[in-house]
Amino acid sequence: AQTVTQSQPEMSVQEAETVTLSCTYDTSENNYYLFWYKQPPSRQMILVIRQEAYKQQNATENRFSVNFQKAAKSFSLKISDSQLGDTAMYFCAFTPNTDKLIFGTGTRLQVFP
Amino acid sequence: SAVISQKPSRDICQRGTSLTIQCQVDSQVTMMFWYRQQPGQSLTLIATANQGSEATYESGFVIDKFPISRPNLTFSTLTVSNMSPEDSSIYLCSVVLRQGRNIQYFGAGTRLSVL
């Protein structure tokens, strides 16, 4: 079975600091895609970053970057220079190239001033 | 990306009634999906809405309970039928703009409370 595991239910970080959210997944596929989505209290799911499994280079989007370790099936999200607006639930998600997303259980991130 | 409008944004319904949720996209999309997010939980895929044919349901979800329509490439509805308090959840639609890009964009969701 294909699963996504987020082992940190809650995290907190001070404004301007760096925080890393963990995600592991299980699949027998070789080609797949990984995502981090953000869901603020407004509940709109927003795509943060996307990684293609066949690309070794880690994806980056401004203050957001990933550490993709394919052999370890690990896909962590690093948020640099944290801002109050980063407070949200963060979901790691996986698709084995079928367009169906499998979500982890989420990590609630609180950014403190 | 795309502008995805979901209606209603929230509703409070009585047990035994049905609610239809609409999802409208401002451009034609290849795929549309419906998810359920139970309180404090992650997202679970209900079904893939297929244009012009019956939706494809995931294990644990059936057409009688969650009938779905998709009459064209920009619009879909999800009906939650014969509701019970256990159906209280957020229901979200999502779209894929271009096949192969594997990026899903989400509507703002419908918060449903069943009394």
Side-chain angles (χ1 to χ4, degrees):
Chain A
Q2 294 162 335
T3 58
V4 178
T5 301
Q6 292 180 250
S7 59
Q8 305 154 316
E10 294 184 359
M11 294 280 285
S12 61
V13 64
Q14 197 147 21
E15 201 174 7
E17 296 296 308
T18 296
V19 63
T20 298
L21 308 184
S22 301
C23 174
T24 59
Y25 58 95
D26 188 22
T27 183
S28 57
E29 301 285 339
N30 193 42
N31 288 331
Y32 49 88
Y33 299 81
L34 294 157
F35 305 85
W36 279 97
Y37 280 89
K38 166 185 175 181
Q39 188 179 40
S42 66
R43 76 174 179 263
Q44 176 87 52
M45 291 285 285
I46 301 166
L47 177 66
V48 174
I49 202 163
R50 169 179 178 266
Q51 175 79 42
E52 299 168 13
Y54 64 86
K55 288 188 177 179
Q56 293 187 351
Q57 187 173 6
N58 290 324
T60 62
E61 286 289 341
N62 301 315
R63 298 183 295 108
F64 299 89
S65 62
V66 299
N67 183 4
F68 173 48
Q69 302 289 328
K70 190 172 183 179
K73 296 180 182 174
S74 170
F75 183 61
S76 61
L77 175 70
K78 185 171 82 170
I79 306 174
S80 304
D81 185 25
S82 297
Q83 301 176 359
L84 296 178
D86 295 333
T87 293
M89 281 289 289
Y90 286 81
F91 291 98
C92 179
F94 159 91
T95 180
N97 202 27
T98 64
D99 290 319
K100 292 184 183 180
L101 280 175
I102 301 165
F103 283 88
T105 52
T107 297
R108 184 176 303 279
L109 176 66
Q110 179 74 49
V111 180
F112 291 99
Chain B
S1 63
V3 176
I4 305 166
S5 302
Q6 247 187 270
K7 293 180 182 179
S9 60
R10 59 175 60 225
D11 208 339
I12 301 172
C13 300
Q14 296 296 319
R15 181 195 300 260
T17 63
S18 298
L19 176 72
T20 295
I21 302 167
Q22 298 180 1
C23 181
Q24 177 75 56
V25 192
D26 68 344
S27 59
Q28 293 185 347
V29 299
T30 57
M31 304 187 77
M32 297 181 79
F33 302 90
W34 287 98
Y35 290 84
R36 181 176 72 184
Q37 186 177 23
Q38 294 177 301
Q41 304 296 316
S42 186
L43 282 74
T44 301
L45 181 64
I46 297 172
T48 302
N50 300 310
Q51 192 264 327
S53 64
E54 194 171 283
T56 304
Y57 289 85
E58 298 299 306
S59 176
F61 297 96
V62 295
I63 187 171
D64 290 346
K65 176 66 175 177
F66 298 102
I68 288 170
S69 78
R70 188 180 172 192
N72 56 51
L73 294 175
T74 64
F75 184 77
S76 178
T77 65
L78 167 74
T79 299
V80 186
S81 303
N82 188 24
M83 287 183 285
S84 67
E86 292 71 35
D87 294 320
S88 297
S89 295
I90 297 171
Y91 293 86
L92 300 103
C93 72
S94 74
V95 303
V96 172
L97 299 183
R98 284 181 288 163
Q99 203 150 14
R101 283 285 292 163
N102 303 101
I103 297 176
Q104 289 190 28
Y105 298 96
F106 286 82
T110 297
R111 183 181 296 275
L112 171 62
S113 298
V114 184
L115 304 178

